[in-house]
Amino acid sequence: MATVQILNTLSRELESLEPREGQGKTLSLYTCGPTVYAYAHIGNFRAYVFEDLLQRHLQERGFTVRRVMNLTDVDDKTIRGAHDAGVALADYTRPFKEAFFQDLKTLRLLTAEAYPAATDPEQIALMIAMIGTLMERGHAYQAEDGSIYFRIASFPGYGKLGRVDLANQRSSQRVASDEYDKEAVADFALWKAWVPEDGAVGWESPWGKGRPGWHIECSAMATGLLGETIDIHCGGVDNIFPHHEAEIAQCECVGAKPFVRYWMHCAHLMVEGSKMAKSAGNFFTLRDLLDKGWTGREIRYALISVHYRGALNFTMDGLAAARAALGRLDAWWERLTETAGSEMEEETPDLTTEGFFAALDDDLNISSALAVLFETLRESNRKMDQTDEGTLTPAQARGLLNWLARVDGVLALEPEATATIPPEVEELATARAAARAAKEWKKSDEIRDQIAALGWIVKDTKDGQKITKS
RNA sequence: GGCGGGGUAGCCAAGUGGUAAGGCCGGGCUCUGCAAAAGCCCCAUGCGACGGUUCGAUUCCGUCCCCCGCCUCCA
């Protein structure tokens, strides 16, 4: 059995993914979710698609994956958004949460075991309890503004994930302005005391009314739902520091040792060669792309086909390339299905197909995996082109289809269910077939135009007409 | 300034101390009444630059150039 190797951000080394003692083949996976103050953008989805690929491949390798993803539904941006819209916080975030779940479906992302939200009462209670423990142990303190801060000086391990030496940091201007109450500039908020701008948003706590800090949210949810030690924790590289660093500090000071065994981070994406930014006009939500006519699976392909640790340059050309590649895959799939016919016995063709999974074992080397897929496509097509003894047998085609089903368990790129052809189009097609049989080409072409006018495309193949939606 | 990722054909992108996967585009051919689709074939003397080690380097070492990210709440 091959082992799955991944690059652990903590060690910066390739490590074999092994479950904990006594956990059988179960791995827990915590993934940082969206802040629901707006529609998630294509950069966010790059991370989610990477995590989905990871989960699916682990499952293919026989692991049971317990995954949790959080929803941040209270922070400065959501509060400001609700205030500007003149609605309650929950009413402001609800549509974005719903949209998020729709988007997950569009991109064919597996559903997590739980999607805890920061404002869930039980999560707030967990966070308060955790902060209480940190206070008792001297890892946190209340500042003059009433907020609770984590005392970084009390945790020597701080900086180990991001390899950050706090003594050697350039002081940035945005730190200096409002953080006047803290013992040290790097100390981060665990509990933010209520201020008038918070309006109706706030929860009672032993330290007064307020709301949780961002970092404590993930710490509480992760350990609360998955246990003190999490196997894998993922996110974007920008979360390494300070977010994940803070999570480690909080959890390990409360008792989890270690908090996370394997950290994995994906690189950012760029759009048309530059950093995605609203001001640059290259900022896309998933919806924006759907409106431009791209499909979820095309976007999924474009996002999944570049190794997660490399910067991904997301472009319209890239989407077009995804569309073309998928079209080729679809045609092949269909051809294999026809060749296999009703044959159910499978025969393993003489092609090195297992390399697909072996490539993914190597830190999710998707490029090599896709290379195996396309090489298999070409070689089997070559066989199907041959009419004599070199041809692909139905049993071999069945074998390839079974392999393809496993491959697609990981890639999730199967064609959309074909739309049913309306009766009037069906009738026209029959008439056209008759005209073609009679070699009445002009009539045949006219009917083709009529069918096109109804939104369908006719293609003549050696096996007769094929009708697809335009 | 510190830390990290990266520079491979028109575009995207693997990879290896021994002579460059794969995808898209492009070209050719096959199929075909036409069209479209599809299939097959072809497409990097070279892997940011310059040195060095080596029988041999894109791959190792050194120097340099460029791009991107993080440095306190952005995937």
Side-chain angles (χ1 to χ4, degrees):
Chain A
M1 179 63 176
T3 60
V4 179
Q5 309 252 118
I6 56 100
L7 189 106
N8 189 343
T9 308
L10 189 60
S11 66
R12 311 282 154 119
E13 282 173 8
L14 222 48
E15 298 181 11
S16 293
L17 215 37
E18 305 285 353
R20 279 165 289 156
E21 279 300 313
Q23 294 302 117
K25 288 215 78 180
T26 298
L27 289 167
S28 55
L29 172 63
Y30 185 86
T31 53
C32 286
T35 300
V36 286
Y37 72 103
Y39 294 116
H41 57 70
I42 198 67
N44 299 119
F45 288 114
R46 200 267 164 113
Y48 307 144
V49 167
F50 140 63
E51 290 152 1
D52 187 63
L53 174 65
L54 173 67
Q55 178 174 4
R56 286 171 179 273
H57 184 245
L58 290 175
Q59 289 178 178
E60 160 62 29
R61 284 314 201 189
F63 291 100
T64 298
V65 179
R66 292 193 56 204
R67 184 163 64 95
V68 168
M69 176 180 269
N70 73 299
L71 301 174
T72 299
D73 59 355
V74 55
D75 78 323
D76 291 349
K77 281 179 284 204
T78 45
I79 290 173
R80 196 184 319 125
H83 176 264
D84 291 351
V87 299
L89 181 67
D91 291 329
Y92 179 73
T93 57
R94 189 176 304 111
F96 295 122
K97 286 182 188 174
E98 285 166 4
F100 177 68
F101 287 115
Q102 269 178 22
D103 289 351
L104 293 186
K105 212 171 274 180
T106 302
L107 288 174
R108 307 179 176 194
L109 301 171
L110 293 178
T111 304
E113 176 178 302
Y115 292 95
T119 59
D120 290 345
E122 64 267 37
Q123 300 304 337
I124 294 279
L126 267 178
M127 292 182 233
I128 289 175
M130 201 163 184
I131 296 169
T133 304
L134 290 170
M135 284 291 277
E136 284 165 24
R137 298 186 180 176
H139 291 298
Y141 60 90
Q142 186 160 30
E144 272 180 46
D145 65 350
S147 294
I148 306 294
Y149 292 96
F150 184 90
R151 181 178 283 126
I152 282 175
S154 75
F155 182 62
Y158 193 83
K160 66 182 174 184
L161 182 67
R163 309 246 160 140
V164 171
D165 178 3
L166 287 176
N168 202 6
Q169 292 302 292
R170 169 179 283 183
S171 59
S172 66
Q173 269 115 3
R174 54 177 162 158
V175 184
S177 59
D178 58 353
E179 314 283 359
Y180 41 79
D181 289 322
K182 302 189 292 188
E183 290 178 1
V185 273
D187 289 352
F188 55 88
L190 294 168
W191 188 259
K192 300 181 129 178
W194 185 88
V195 292
E197 298 84 72
D198 290 346
V201 178
W203 290 264
E204 289 304 331
S205 83
W207 317 284
K209 192 174 173 183
R211 59 184 167 99
W214 179 41
H215 311 309
I216 195 71
E217 170 189 328
C218 284
S219 288
M221 294 177 179
T223 55
L225 288 159
L226 294 172
E228 284 204 330
T229 293
I230 314 294
D231 291 311
I232 311 169
H233 191 137
C234 300
V237 283
D238 55 325
N239 277 157
I240 296 173
F241 193 89
H243 184 52
H244 291 330
E245 199 71 59
E247 285 188 50
I248 292 174
Q250 292 162 342
C251 289
E252 300 196 350
C253 286
V254 164
K257 294 208 182 351
F259 167 45
V260 169
R261 302 171 64 229
Y262 307 97
W263 287 95
M264 295 178 75
H265 294 92
C266 67
H268 274 188
L269 66 65
M270 309 213 291
V271 175
E272 304 291 348
S274 34
K275 184 179 177 175
M276 182 169 66
K278 281 182 177 146
S279 57
N282 64 356
F283 184 96
F284 296 114
T285 63
L286 182 60
R287 280 115 206 285
D288 293 335
L289 295 167
L290 295 177
D291 287 345
K292 287 173 182 287
W294 302 103
T295 65
R297 71 194 280 253
E298 287 164 352
I299 297 165
R300 178 179 171 89
Y301 186 97
L303 291 176
I304 212 170
S305 59
V306 175
H307 184 72
Y308 75 95
R309 283 190 291 110
L312 188 163
N313 187 13
F314 190 84
T315 63
M316 294 305 128
D317 282 352
L319 282 171
R323 176 172 288 176
L326 285 169
R328 194 144 82 96
L329 240 23
D330 292 350
W332 176 51
W333 209 316
E334 202 175 322
R335 194 177 182 192
L336 280 176
T337 304
E338 282 165 12
T339 302
S342 57
E343 178 62 59
M344 292 317 285
E345 288 295 309
E346 69 166 339
E347 182 188 324
T348 307
D350 186 23
L351 299 170
T352 53
T353 50
E354 284 309 305
F356 179 88
F357 304 104
L360 292 177
D361 284 340
D362 180 21
D363 199 28
L364 301 180
N365 190 333
I366 188 71
S367 297
S368 290
L370 288 175
V372 172
L373 178 61
F374 282 98
E375 273 161 15
T376 305
L377 176 153
R378 184 161 14 83
E379 285 171 31
S380 61
N381 268 330
R382 212 153 28 201
K383 289 188 183 213
M384 286 189 277
D385 281 347
Q386 290 177 339
T387 48
D388 51 7
E389 65 277 359
T391 196
L392 196 77
T393 66
Q396 288 173 328
R398 179 60 59 199
L400 278 178
L401 282 169
N402 290 344
W403 169 75
L404 207 45
R406 284 172 60 214
V407 166
D408 201 61
V410 177
L411 296 179
L413 292 170
E414 78 275 18
E416 308 283 352
T418 42
T420 33
I421 300 165
E424 61 265 38
V425 172
E426 203 75 73
E427 274 172 41
L428 286 167
T430 309
R432 180 165 180 273
R436 280 171 54 74
K439 297 199 188 296
E440 296 174 47
W441 308 123
K442 196 174 172 198
K443 187 176 173 190
S444 160
D445 290 350
E446 281 168 10
I447 298 174
R448 181 164 63 200
D449 291 343
Q450 289 175 333
I451 292 174
L454 291 168
W456 295 78
I457 295 169
V458 183
K459 292 167 196 162
D460 296 311
T461 71
K462 31 192 173 311
D463 305 314
Q465 302 180 109
K466 283 251 168 71
I467 300 170
T468 52
K469 194 112 177 68
S470 62

